[in-house]
Amino acid sequence: MFIAFALGLLLDTFQNTGGAHAAACITLAFIRPVWLKLVYGESYLMKNLKIIRTPIDRLLLLTVLSVIIHHLVFFSLVIFNTSQILYTLKLTLSVGIATILIASLFLIIFKPKVKS
C-alpha cells in the first residue's frame, strides 16, 4: 500500500492532479488480491504463483481489469461531477483501450518464454 501511495503521489506531483493518482493507485493495490484470486484461482491461494511466468492470456486479463479500475477511479476523481458520468466513462474507455494496447505490446515483446 505504501509503494502504491508513493507511486501515485509521484505521478500527482508531476501532473498536478491533486491526489487522484494516489487514490487510484491505493484502490488498485487494495483490489489486487481480489483480481489475483479471480484470474489465477488456486495457484494464487497456494502461493505458488509467478505472475511473469503465467500464460499471456492471464496477464492480459489482469492488465485489463487493473487498467479499467485505475482509470475509472482516476477520471472520476479528476472530473468529480455526476452530470459528467457519460464523459467520464467515455474517457475511461478510450484512454483505457490505448493503455491496454500499449501494455499488451510491451507484455508480448518483453515477456520471457515459458519453459514447458
Side-chain angles (χ1 to χ4, degrees), residues 26-27 36 53-54 56 60 71 81 88 90 95 100 116:
I26 288 286
T27 304
L36 289 173
R53 301 270 182 219
T54 59
I56 194 77
L60 290 177
H71 286 0
N81 190 348
T88 303
K90 282 197 296 189
V95 174
I100 290 166
S116 299

Side-chain angles (χ1 to χ4, degrees), residues 13-26:
T13 301
F14 290 113
Q15 292 187 350
N16 197 22
T17 51
H21 273 295
C25 288
I26 288 286

Side-chain angles (χ1 to χ4, degrees), residues 14-86:
F14 290 113
Q15 292 187 350
N16 197 22
T17 51
H21 273 295
C25 288
I26 288 286
T27 304
L28 192 59
F30 186 74
I31 293 177
R32 183 178 175 264
V34 176
W35 287 153
L36 289 173
K37 185 177 177 185
L38 178 74
V39 172
Y40 294 107
E42 194 65 33
S43 294
Y44 174 68
L45 295 175
M46 299 299 287
K47 307 287 187 213
N48 63 353
L49 178 65
K50 303 274 191 249
I51 292 180
I52 199 66
R53 301 270 182 219
T54 59
I56 194 77
D57 61 337
R58 300 290 178 141
L59 276 174
L60 290 177
L61 179 60
L62 186 63
T63 302
V64 167
L65 292 173
S66 299
V67 164
I68 294 299
I69 287 298
H70 177 273
H71 286 0
L72 187 62
V73 171
F74 174 72
F75 288 124
S76 296
L77 291 173
V78 168
I79 295 171
F80 203 68
N81 190 348
T82 56
S83 65
Q84 298 287 330
I85 288 177
L86 192 59

